Amino acid sequence: MIKKSRKVRDYKELTKALPTMRFLEPESVYIHLQNGRCKTYDLYVKEGDYVKLGEVIGIRHGGFFEQPIHATVSGTVGTVSKKLHRTGRKVDCVEIRNDFKETYHESIVDRTDQAIAELTQDDMVQILKEKSLVGLGGSGFPSYIKLATKEKIDTVVINAVECEPYLSSDYRLILEHPRRVIAGMTYIMQALHVKTGIIAIKKSKDPLYQVLTQVIKGKFPEYDIQVVKLGDYYPQGWEIEVFRNALGIDVPHGELPMKYGVIGFNVSTAAGVYDAIKHNLPVTKRYFTLTGDAIKYPQNYRVKVGTSVKKLIELSDGFKEDYDKVNIIMGGPMMGVSTVSCDVIVSKTTTSVIVLQDTDYEEQPCVRCGSCVYSCPAHLEPVQIMNAVKRNDKDVMKGLGAYKCIECGLCAYVCTSKIHVTDYVRKAKRLIG
Amino acid sequence: MEHMPQVIRKTSPYLRRPQAKVSRMMSDVVIALIPVIIFAIYSFGWSAVWILLASTLSMTLTEAIYYWITSPKGETAFTLSNYSAVVSGLIFGLTLADNTPIWVVVITGVLGILMAKLFFGGLGQNIFNPAALARVLVAVNFATLSTYQANIPIIDGEAGATVLQTLNESGNLFNADILNHIPLWQLFTGIGVPGSLGEVSALLIIVGGLYLALRHSFEVRIPVVFIATVFGLASAVAVYQGLGIWYPLMHVFSGGVMFGAVFMATDPITSPITKPGRIYFAFALGFVTFIIRLFGALPEGVVFSILIMNMFVSAFDYFKWSNPRFTTKGSVIFAGVVVAAIAVVLVGVSYVG
Ligand code: SF4
Ligand code: SF4
């Protein structure tokens, strides 16, 4: 207990070996009109209109950017209603009733390799902007802004670490579509005039290593792309930790990695770049893990953006009868957000839904064992921050650097006394934020 | 979906480390103490049993009654179930001499846990190590009642005195003759050595410490640095005075250094929270212990130094300079402190010697 601990049981065996099920055809999809970054929107269509797959049906307005909204199926527009978003709040969603024809919008045309070779950074930024690509690992940060960087980049890093327990959708994506991922990566490299690239995976995922190295050798011999295996600990997938271990670059808190010559993209985002550049296609589908100890058949799915999770749970044969109370978590079980109902919608940035038996951990008084301090990847002292929160001493919270917390959840995970330390640190962040 | 469970909203993370438990940590200490306890009973017979029973019961019952009175429904931090009071009781008992009267054990045990733990708000809130405080209460209030005896008669009429006392009383702190009475191997194994119940066998204490280290139930840096500091400072003195390796070894193996380092100084509640902090803390413990031994001639040097350093724990943890990682600046300062500590000891020795 009194030790640095970064091992988190990963439970990936539940779904890792299962091929992705394609669940492409929901009767209706619900497209978010708002999200965490964009509060207001304009909708260009009205109830009864016919839309095609990939058509722009509206635009979201954010602080500094706009996001076009795309239809992910072809069909007729239904009503606008409030639906749960992955952040746990209700947001406006527009329904599109699927006509099951998969009629693509006229704008969805492939670019030839020749045409792609001529694209400049600005062209690509423009395409990503039109296709509304965002960080699909969950960050939701607009990718075109990242790609538009003016800094001199030396290395493009594709983050395929997927260190959260239970998740395996990135794993399956690479196994099943390695070429899309690598091609997307080469487009990013082209845009930024970068010669070297790195795909970071976990040590324990040797199949990925095999697949990726072979595809790189066979199909992309002219690129200098390395597959590096990183440690099997949590939170290895944290971008800063990836850069540190794969490249030896330490990016201090609050600084952009681009300043240090590196830029990171999630695997799904790289595949999204490929779709956008090659097929001129926005993100209409996503790789998605539905798992947990309270669901009957854990499964990887490839779903339309806008699908109801409820439908997917039904497809997995529902909840196990063993538990009366469950948590439904959008995202991973360490950092994800729990929702109040299974009636949530898969958005572009939803990587997974985890259904867990609800456990009440009995908290004991803190015994100052120090494992939260030893384990914190951001090198904070979570227990001291917690004590400062209890005293409401903001100077100390600031002095202890609570704002640097990445909310990885490790301090609560390791706590000998089963205290929800992470919540206290979160509170400190809010108080001094 | 026939089965529709209730959906409960929580905040992340939703998983917890399965092996982490306060009760496991505390019961590990009890397990680590078992060899020491058995050896105490073997060496001292029934008196060891009675003392350990008295110390453990007085502390646990006091805690139980205290919570029974202050929170009648038992809804607040009733901490007996995590064995922390049992651990304090056993450790306190093991630091006592075998002829300590039972009533002294009971009074100091009750006072120790009340003053050191319960008045501060119970487990986790205390500043002082309850066992150390109780032991010091015995030393301060009942000093004449607690002399050391072993059931094996000591040669040359030295019965009733530990190695350290003998050294101090002989008037020559650096007298190798002591080893004629008690050879080092005896000091190491604890066979036939006078002293308190649990402190005599370095060997068994190391066994317990290894167990705790393997189970990650204590911070192994604390005993290692503590003992290394005592050993190092004593070695410096040995070199300065032209004494043999017996001198530092004797310091390490006698008078509760091993026991205090492994079982008392490692109490996480009363030690600093960061890795560097714990190392500095352990070094300070070793230094204070050695100084008390050189100049104070107190057999309870270890418990005194633990209580003294307990007072400074919050200073080690002060947010402006505590750091979870080693920094260059911290290491440089620490190196300076180490050098200064050696200098202080040597200057001191040249006066005493
Ligand atoms: S949640 Fe924050 S404080 Fe806790 S371990 Fe992670 S980074 Fe550190
Ligand atoms: S908060 Fe938990 S992990 Fe941190 S010191 Fe206290 S008991 Fe240990």
Side-chain angles (χ1 to χ4, degrees):
Chain A
M1 277 147 284
I2 305 187
K3 61 164 180 175
K4 174 166 167 171
S5 172
R6 294 190 170 180
K7 289 262 179 263
V8 172
R9 243 210 90 180
D10 76 359
Y11 304 90
K12 291 191 201 287
E13 69 279 0
L14 288 175
T15 50
K16 218 168 117 177
L18 303 176
T20 308
M21 272 181 53
R22 277 147 180 74
F23 178 58
L24 297 175
E25 296 306 323
E27 295 199 348
S28 290
V29 292
Y30 302 86
I31 311 287
H32 292 115
L33 299 172
Q34 299 163 306
N35 63 25
R37 292 174 193 271
C38 304
K39 305 280 176 254
T40 56
Y41 61 88
D42 288 315
L43 190 58
Y44 303 155
V45 292
K46 55 182 191 311
E47 200 176 340
D49 283 0
Y50 180 78
V51 294
K52 291 178 182 168
L53 202 165
E55 188 173 337
V56 177
I57 55 169
I59 191 154
R60 281 187 282 256
H61 303 293
F64 304 97
F65 47 84
E66 320 241 285
Q67 289 180 348
I69 305 168
H70 299 91
T72 58
V73 293
S74 55
T76 35
V77 177
T79 51
V80 173
S81 59
K82 290 259 182 219
K83 291 271 182 192
L84 267 181
H85 184 251
R86 77 179 170 100
T87 50
R89 283 177 299 111
K90 291 212 163 185
V91 298
D92 288 349
C93 286
V94 62
E95 179 187 3
I96 300 176
R97 292 190 206 98
N98 197 347
D99 66 359
F100 301 102
K101 293 213 180 80
E102 289 272 304
T103 319
Y104 281 84
H105 189 251
E106 299 75 45
S107 65
I108 317 269
V109 277
D110 283 5
R111 286 191 180 81
T112 59
D113 288 343
Q114 169 96 51
I116 293 172
E118 280 160 17
L119 294 175
T120 63
Q121 181 177 12
D122 290 343
D123 297 336
M124 291 210 198
V125 167
Q126 194 54 37
I127 296 170
L128 296 193
K129 189 173 177 183
E130 277 162 18
K131 297 302 154 195
S132 183
L133 186 68
V134 298
L136 300 182
S139 75
F141 186 76
S143 305
Y144 77 88
I145 296 184
K146 227 171 171 178
L147 198 70
T149 179
K150 290 279 166 279
E151 303 278 354
K152 166 101 190 63
I153 305 289
D154 308 309
T155 320
V156 170
V157 177
I158 299 299
N159 184 353
V161 173
E162 199 171 44
C163 63
E164 279 253 18
Y166 284 105
L167 307 196
S168 63
S169 59
D170 282 359
Y171 179 83
R172 294 308 309 184
L173 171 64
I174 295 181
L175 273 194
E176 293 166 23
H177 294 278
R179 280 186 69 180
R180 281 175 62 205
V181 173
I182 301 169
M185 179 178 184
T186 59
Y187 297 160
I188 299 170
M189 290 165 74
Q190 177 189 333
L192 299 172
H193 307 288
V194 174
K195 291 280 159 289
T196 50
I198 279 179
I199 305 180
I201 61 167
K202 267 195 175 181
K203 262 213 287 286
S204 57
K205 293 178 183 161
D206 197 55
L208 295 190
Y209 184 80
Q210 303 300 341
V211 166
L212 287 168
T213 44
Q214 272 174 34
V215 175
I216 293 167
K217 228 180 27 222
K219 310 278 180 195
F220 302 90
E222 69 277 25
Y223 289 93
D224 174 19
I225 300 176
Q226 302 293 327
V227 184
V228 296
K229 298 184 183 183
L230 300 183
D232 267 326
Y233 62 84
Y234 180 86
Q236 177 65 79
W238 177 31
E239 208 173 59
I240 305 297
E241 200 73 16
V242 171
F243 295 152
R244 184 180 301 149
N245 292 316
L247 298 162
I249 297 175
D250 234 324
V251 182
H253 173 80
E255 299 234 34
L256 286 177
M258 276 83 113
K259 253 187 84 176
Y260 294 80
V262 285
I263 191 165
F265 290 92
N266 169 269
V267 191
S268 304
T269 317
V273 170
Y274 172 79
D275 287 341
I277 306 279
K278 179 72 189 166
H279 303 304
N280 211 26
L281 190 71
V283 181
T284 57
K285 298 169 226 164
R286 84 152 292 141
Y287 271 69
F288 182 85
T289 310
L290 175 60
T291 177
D293 60 7
I295 191 122
K296 274 204 196 127
Y297 292 103
Q299 193 56 266
N300 293 300
Y301 290 102
R302 187 173 170 200
V303 297
K304 289 277 181 190
V305 171
T307 306
S308 161
V309 169
K310 201 168 166 192
K311 286 271 177 321
L312 293 173
I313 293 178
E314 276 167 22
L315 214 66
S316 279
D317 231 10
F319 302 98
K320 275 193 192 153
E321 269 90 32
D322 317 20
Y323 311 118
D324 292 331
K325 291 180 179 169
V326 295
N327 303 140
I328 295 182
I329 303 144
M330 312 285 285
M334 296 297 284
M335 299 178 80
V337 180
S338 112
T339 70
V340 287
S341 115
C342 59
D343 198 11
V344 283
I345 303 301
V346 178
S347 64
K348 270 192 271 196
T349 48
T350 330
T351 54
S352 51
V353 163
I354 320 281
V355 185
L356 293 180
Q357 167 200 5
D358 180 63
T359 322
D360 271 321
Y361 297 97
E362 192 207 337
E363 285 195 9
Q364 296 242 321
C366 167
V367 287
R368 294 172 49 89
C369 67
S371 37
C372 56
V373 180
Y374 289 10
S375 306
C376 174
H379 304 296
L380 304 179
E381 297 174 35
V383 51
Q384 299 291 71
I385 296 173
M386 168 172 89
N387 292 337
V389 170
K390 287 183 179 163
R391 294 194 309 268
N392 199 16
D393 190 336
K394 290 195 186 129
D395 288 340
V396 175
M397 291 180 225
K398 266 190 215 123
L400 289 167
Y403 51 86
K404 290 186 200 152
C405 168
I406 56 167
E407 304 195 18
C408 67
L410 205 54
C411 45
Y413 181 79
V414 299
C415 178
T416 305
S417 298
K418 304 254 183 282
I419 302 169
H420 202 325
V421 195
T422 308
D423 247 6
Y424 285 101
V425 185
R426 237 180 237 138
K427 196 161 168 206
K429 276 173 82 174
R430 264 203 311 278
L431 286 172
I432 59 177
Chain B
M1 256 180 282
E2 311 90 62
H3 177 64
M4 189 56 228
Q6 196 187 344
V7 180
I8 308 281
R9 188 144 196 224
K10 289 264 175 74
T11 50
S12 66
Y14 309 91
L15 304 174
R16 295 289 189 281
R17 179 158 54 150
Q19 320 86 295
K21 256 194 223 119
V22 176
S23 58
R24 190 191 114 158
M25 192 164 108
M26 295 294 177
S27 57
D28 271 353
V29 180
V30 176
I31 294 170
L33 282 169
I34 287 175
V36 179
I37 293 172
I38 292 176
F39 186 74
I41 297 174
Y42 162 78
S43 307
F44 301 98
W46 282 106
S47 57
V49 177
W50 297 132
I51 288 177
L52 288 177
L53 271 179
S55 63
T56 313
L57 284 178
S58 62
M59 284 197 168
T60 42
L61 286 180
T62 307
E63 182 163 311
I65 293 168
Y66 180 86
Y67 281 121
W68 183 63
I69 293 170
T70 53
S71 58
K73 290 193 202 74
E75 76 273 28
T76 52
F78 178 63
T79 54
L80 270 190
S81 54
N82 53 40
Y83 306 117
S84 62
V86 178
V87 167
S88 297
L90 285 175
I91 291 176
F92 168 50
L94 287 168
T95 61
L96 292 169
D98 67 313
N99 61 347
T100 315
I102 296 298
W103 61 271
V104 171
V105 180
V106 172
I107 291 177
T108 49
V110 171
L111 286 178
I113 197 147
L114 274 178
M115 289 164 60
K117 183 175 176 188
L118 300 175
F119 290 170
F120 283 99
L123 182 70
Q125 307 288 313
N126 45 316
I127 296 169
F128 295 109
N129 184 325
L133 184 74
R135 181 63 188 82
V136 164
L137 287 177
V138 176
V140 175
N141 297 317
F142 308 100
T144 50
L145 294 173
S146 58
T147 49
Y148 295 98
Q149 272 168 3
N151 60 348
I152 304 151
I154 300 297
I155 326 110
D156 284 353
E158 294 282 2
T162 63
V163 188
L164 282 178
Q165 282 169 316
T166 316
L167 263 190
N168 280 319
E169 280 155 19
S170 70
N172 179 0
L173 278 173
F174 311 106
N175 185 352
D177 288 350
I178 186 71
L179 292 176
N180 299 333
H181 302 303
I182 304 169
L184 277 176
W185 72 265
Q186 267 194 342
L187 272 180
F188 182 65
T189 56
I191 295 172
V193 179
S196 49
L197 299 181
E199 293 173 347
V200 286
S201 175
L203 178 66
L204 294 179
I205 294 167
I206 291 174
V207 170
L210 283 178
Y211 173 78
L212 289 175
L214 289 176
R215 298 273 289 178
H216 299 289
S217 285
F218 78 167
E219 170 55 274
V220 71
R221 289 175 184 82
I222 293 180
V224 168
V225 173
F226 187 159
I227 293 165
T229 305
V230 172
F231 185 84
L233 292 176
S235 302
V237 172
V239 170
Y240 182 67
Q241 295 276 329
L243 308 168
I245 184 81
W246 64 269
Y247 183 75
L249 284 178
M250 180 210 68
H251 267 287
V252 168
F253 293 143
S254 64
V257 166
M258 297 293 291
F259 187 83
V262 172
F263 291 111
M264 301 173 87
T266 50
D267 173 15
I269 296 158
T270 53
S271 46
I273 201 86
T274 63
K275 256 182 219 175
R278 284 177 174 172
I279 286 179
Y280 306 151
F281 172 73
F283 174 79
L285 278 173
F287 176 71
V288 174
T289 304
F290 195 69
I291 291 289
I292 293 181
R293 284 204 172 170
L294 271 189
F295 309 116
L298 281 168
E300 293 87 0
V302 175
V303 273
F304 271 113
S305 73
I306 288 174
L307 286 188
I308 293 172
M309 289 320 297
N310 280 169
M311 291 192 288
F312 292 99
V313 164
S314 55
F316 282 104
D317 283 339
Y318 188 55
F319 75 98
K320 287 211 170 128
W321 54 70
S322 81
N323 196 318
R325 284 184 289 183
F326 289 94
T327 54
T328 329
K329 194 175 149 207
S331 308
V332 169
I333 296 177
F334 184 53
V337 170
V338 172
V339 172
I342 296 173
V344 167
V345 166
L346 292 184
V347 170
V349 163
S350 61
Y351 280 105
V352 184

